Amino acid sequence: MNVPAYEYQGPLKTIVDTRAVVELVPTPPPSARALQDILHKARSLKGLTLEEAAAILNIEEEAELKMVYQAAADVKERVYGRRIVLFAPLYISNYCSNNCLYCAFRRDNRGLKRRQLTPEEIGKEARALAEQGFQRVLLVAGEGGPGADIDYLCRAVEAVYRYSPLRIVHLNVAPQTVDGFRRLKEAGAGVYQCFQETYHPPTYRLMHPAGTKADYGWRLTVMHRAMAAGFGDVGMGPLLGLYDYRFEVLAAISHARSLEQAFGAGPHTMSVPRLRPALGAALKEVPYPLSDTAFRKVVAVYRLALPYVGLVLTTRERPELRDELVDMGISQISAGSCVSPGGYAEPEEPAAQFEVGDHRPLKAMVAMLLEHGHLPSFCTACYRLGRTGRRFTALAREGDIQRYCLPNALLSLKEYLVTQGPPELREQGNKVIAASLASIPDDHLRNEIARRLEGISRGQRDLHF
């Protein structure tokens, strides 16, 4: 489908019809028989209607919720197998012209130490992450000041590739024009990620009183601009806790469906950030706190409704909950995150965007995933080989992306174990690789993976399918 590279001009309700979503929020939970039918359909990777998603979000019975959680785990395994992708954010600037009430980076927070990394400093931070074993990085910048300049952002992307061996750079930066996005794509950016924060217009206006971000429509249409400019893969998700989580989840699913209709591909990732305390934030309490049970429902419903998405869980959550949720549909997870500019290469005075809940380093997260029977993955192949956008969505929707996910997870894990993995993880990791390899029924594929694994042991690098 050819999508013209223009600024989005359609009615905002064609992206998210907030009135219709409000009416769906109180949908009663399904009957026992209806729930079985809904979950049977979801397991076949057909997704959920908004009505079905709303009904599941209102389930309170623990026995029924366990059925939902298991279905979400089954869908994730059918689409992506047991692999869990690992990544890290790299904050490059905390200057911001917005005044979001919940964020430490807000313009009026005079107590925050401001910093913008130079290209050389970005490269140093990227090298430090590569030395830990990461292969992908998410560049994050405040939405204002010099850190939001398109020339600076392009140089930041290029600096990662120039000064480090990291293989793919994703972006979480200020919304751009179509031309701006085109430049970022040409610089080598992979996924563009941006959070609407809240889809509820009155709450949005209250939480974003000043700055470019105060324009609800400009932000809501950002994914259309990014995809029109050539970003096949985009990432999104509301900030849970600003408004009723049921409304936000249904609105985010609606947003995803609007992208599918316009571009033939929905979001590549859906994140589940939950509001955290932030030093210097004007907002002192969570307006709409959601329990861990509600949070589990959010994860499960996203997985069932949008089976193809990479479901992202960050270090905002505490360790024990993160360990639980990787068994419930999460497919991407961050580790050892520093949420202020600098801090990976050498200790840096904290200037964090929010409080981190899980401080475990990468090696601890790899160990946890192995213990849970998952396959830690550092793969970057799809972005680099053009399996993005409509092509990726089509493969994931049919469960066929596993043809690439499993081999590439095995190869990237082997490279991690050989190059940066601590000795205590190598034996366990190699056992998981051997067991996964033995489970592949295709003799030709199994033998080819084994040949490449041996090549990595002999010193070859960056082998992938």
Side-chain angles (χ1 to χ4, degrees), residues 99-112 114 207 275-285 352-355:
N99 215 18
C100 311
L101 301 188
Y102 48 82
C103 183
F105 289 0
R106 68 190 183 95
R107 182 191 64 195
D108 289 353
N109 184 7
R110 306 303 180 192
L112 182 74
R114 305 286 177 173
M207 294 294 160
L275 189 60
R276 292 282 293 162
L279 187 65
L283 192 66
K284 302 303 181 184
E285 296 183 357
Q353 187 181 25
F354 53 84
E355 290 184 9

Side-chain angles (χ1 to χ4, degrees), residues 348-367:
E348 174 66 21
E349 182 181 338
Q353 187 181 25
F354 53 84
E355 290 184 9
V356 170
D358 186 352
H359 295 272
R360 289 176 294 178
L362 176 60
K363 63 181 180 180
M365 295 304 299
V366 171

Side-chain angles (χ1 to χ4, degrees), residues 60-92:
E60 297 294 340
E61 293 294 330
E62 185 61 29
E64 293 182 340
L65 287 175
K66 287 182 178 179
M67 294 170 58
V68 171
Y69 303 154
Q70 185 59 56
D74 293 344
V75 168
K76 184 269 173 182
E77 186 156 353
R78 181 170 176 189
V79 176
Y80 292 112
R82 299 294 288 174
R83 77 100 166 106
I84 303 286
V85 168
L86 290 146
F87 72 96
L90 198 172
Y91 281 67
I92 59 175

Side-chain angles (χ1 to χ4, degrees), residues 35 61 72 76 145 158 185 219 237 283 313 315 327 409 423:
L35 178 60
E61 293 294 330
K76 184 269 173 182
E158 293 163 353
K185 190 65 181 173
R219 199 166 189 88
L283 192 66
L313 182 65
T315 53
D327 297 328

Side-chain angles (χ1 to χ4, degrees), residues 176-192:
Q176 306 290 321
T177 63
V178 171
D179 287 342
F181 278 125
R182 192 174 290 115
R183 288 188 59 191
L184 291 172
K185 190 65 181 173
E186 291 170 353
V191 174
Y192 173 71

Side-chain angles (χ1 to χ4, degrees), residues 227 232-234 256-257 259-260 264-269 308-309 389 393 397:
M227 295 186 82
D233 293 340
V234 296
R257 298 270 162 80
L259 295 177
E260 289 186 62
H268 183 70
T269 61
Y308 57 84
V309 299
T393 300
R397 195 186 300 280

